[in-house]
Amino acid sequence: MFIDFLKERKWLVLSLLILSFYLAPLFILQENAHIRVHDNLDSNLAWYKVLARSGQMLGPLQGIIPQIINGLPRNALGTEYSGIVWLYVFFPTMIAYGISQAVTRVAAFFGMYLLLKKHLLTDHKWRFFQTGAALAFSLTPFWPSGMLSTLGMPLALWAFLNIRKGEEIGKSLITLTLLPFYSSFVLGFFFFLSVISLFWLSDVFRGKGWNLRFFAAIIYMSSIYMLVEYRLVFSFLYKGEPNSRDEFSYAQLPFWKVVHLTFKNYFIGHTHDMTLHTLIVLPITFFAMYYVWEKRFWKQERVFVLLFVLNFLLSVWYGFWFYKGWAPIVKHFHFLNTFNFARYHFLSPFVLYADFALALKILSTLGRNWRKTAQTMVILQIAFLFLYNDEFIYHQKPTVKEFYAEDLFKDIKNYIALPQKDYRVASIGIHPAISQFNGFYTLDTYNNFYPLSYKHKFRRIIANELAVNPIIRKYYDLWGGRCYIFTSQLGKHYMIKKDSKRHLRNLQLNTNEFKKMGGRYFFSALRIDNASENHLKLDKIFVNKHSAWKIYLYEVM
């Protein structure tokens, strides 16, 4: 027993050491680190800073954030009971980011480890696979602002299975109490809890009793989420003015594209819950499934088979949610269009890596050489994930310092020499989050919840550009989360660096509408050849060595 304890501790310490090395660049490099831009630097990190200095952290349900679109609803920036927003209040941006990454990955590791050890791979001889699969899971490149929305699912399942069995009730309830404060209901746990509810129902129909303790735990965690996400609940129930989500249109794809999307998600994954499972994890599970099929071990390996099938069904659901054949139904039930039910794929990382662990166990039972092969596969998957560190894969993107370019925008602020609240700006060729991060009041933004009337009003500024380019017209009209100054020439490109030799030709903006909305300046990443036709004059060009951008400051005449 003592020897088993030492072996367990050895693998745990080694795993945490590897995690520490993985996280080290964030704390060593800080703002000189390279991290994800999409749905991260271009949005959430700026939102946290805007919220922290807005004075609206604890603002009323009908409060607004004046810095964004002349009054972004406070509820659009989420709940103040989410732990991540307070990290950005008390710490500099990259320290907060690093702490959040560390908390999430350590919790993910122990959650998967406890689940495997207690419920899926219970024999001590599977210690290596318990820690190896848990470490691999914790290294997956999750969406940073999702926190434990996906990576916390194994920990939650561990707690629910404990309660289902009537074991470790206290620890499990503490777990279910704390998780909602560092995860998102709509970006993960809504889908998890609905599946857990089906699991409870299956127990009932299989004659295992009502298990009211298990049912109460589901209601308990759901209730905590409702309290934590009270702003979301209010926005859903309160029928105020129409918002941008009311024009969302998901059901647009023909059947063959739906099939393509299904298999793309199954074999490659999704950007918000990347698992890097294609080269090692999936082939191992396929091989194990073949062995189960050949030996007819359906009953002995029923959990493995269930997870294997569920993983595929999650991709089928994801792909077919966008099938245009559902359009009449979606139009009839409006909430189906405003809430993205395709996100059941957020269960995929947890399902995949739990199934991977079970597949490794199956391989190990085939003999000594197969056991060594299984161990090698775990190590290779961990190495692959480690090499997918942000610092490696985003090394050609701007660093955090270069992206937000605080010195450059400070120069612009000083040049304008007016209080930032007294004028409005918009960006061309760069994300408006950069201006927001630097304190400018923007007419453009990236948010999935803002007044529909504003979307229509803003559209007048870019109507001529949208008319020329059907891609950005469809992108704006059927979604509109990016309320940007789109141009037909640049399309969906908003990372134009300072070394670009391009010019904006034949730009057609309605600067009168821009001015009516309070707009005064455009921060353009490119020179506008026909600026005078758009009633714009170039005030000054800003560039420095610490910025990824060259900013042409245009003022509306």
Side-chain angles (χ1 to χ4, degrees), residues 42 82 95 97 114 197 255 259 269 317 343 413 448 496 499:
D42 69 350
S82 176
I95 294 295
Y97 188 83
L114 289 171
S197 299
F255 181 80
V259 173
W317 176 272
R343 286 173 173 159
K413 173 188 171 184
N448 283 332
I496 311 299
D499 56 357

Side-chain angles (χ1 to χ4, degrees), residues 326-337:
W326 308 129
I329 300 174
V330 169
K331 287 181 180 178
H332 187 69
F333 298 99
H334 184 59
F335 73 94
L336 294 177
N337 222 10

Side-chain angles (χ1 to χ4, degrees), residues 41-89:
L41 284 173
D42 69 350
S43 48
N44 293 79
L45 267 63
W47 298 345
Y48 298 142
K49 185 159 186 176
V50 169
L51 181 59
R53 67 184 173 213
S54 68
Q56 289 293 317
M57 179 68 82
L58 305 175
L61 287 167
Q62 308 251 12
I64 61 169
I65 309 291
Q67 189 186 336
I68 301 176
I69 64 169
N70 288 329
L72 179 73
R74 165 63 186 86
N75 295 347
L77 297 186
T79 177
E80 64 270 33
Y81 295 123
S82 176
I84 196 170
V85 299
W86 291 101
L87 289 178
Y88 289 85
V89 171

Side-chain angles (χ1 to χ4, degrees), residues 263 266-267 277-278 280-293 304 308 311-312 352 355-356 359 363:
F263 283 98
Y266 183 69
F267 285 104
H277 62 280
T278 311
I280 297 173
V281 174
L282 211 56
I284 292 296
T285 57
F286 269 104
F287 186 87
M289 190 63 186
Y290 173 77
Y291 176 76
V292 170
W293 173 80
F304 166 76
F308 185 91
N311 181 50
F312 181 68
L352 261 170
D355 211 36
F356 180 48
L363 259 63

Side-chain angles (χ1 to χ4, degrees), residues 347-410:
L347 277 74
S348 294
F350 142 62
V351 170
L352 261 170
Y353 277 88
D355 211 36
F356 180 48
L358 293 173
L360 294 169
K361 182 210 72 172
I362 293 171
L363 259 63
S364 295
T365 61
L366 301 182
R368 185 178 179 182
N369 288 336
W370 281 107
R371 185 180 180 89
K372 289 182 178 179
T373 300
Q375 291 171 340
T376 301
M377 292 299 102
V378 176
I379 294 170
L380 287 176
Q381 181 65 15
I382 291 170
F384 181 43
L385 288 161
F386 195 95
L387 292 175
Y388 210 81
N389 187 294
D390 283 2
E391 198 56 44
F392 297 138
I393 61 170
Y394 296 124
H395 71 278
Q396 292 185 325
K397 300 289 186 182
T399 64
V400 176
K401 183 176 183 178
E402 291 169 336
F403 184 87
Y404 286 127
E406 292 183 74
D407 290 341
L408 183 78
F409 281 85
K410 185 177 180 181

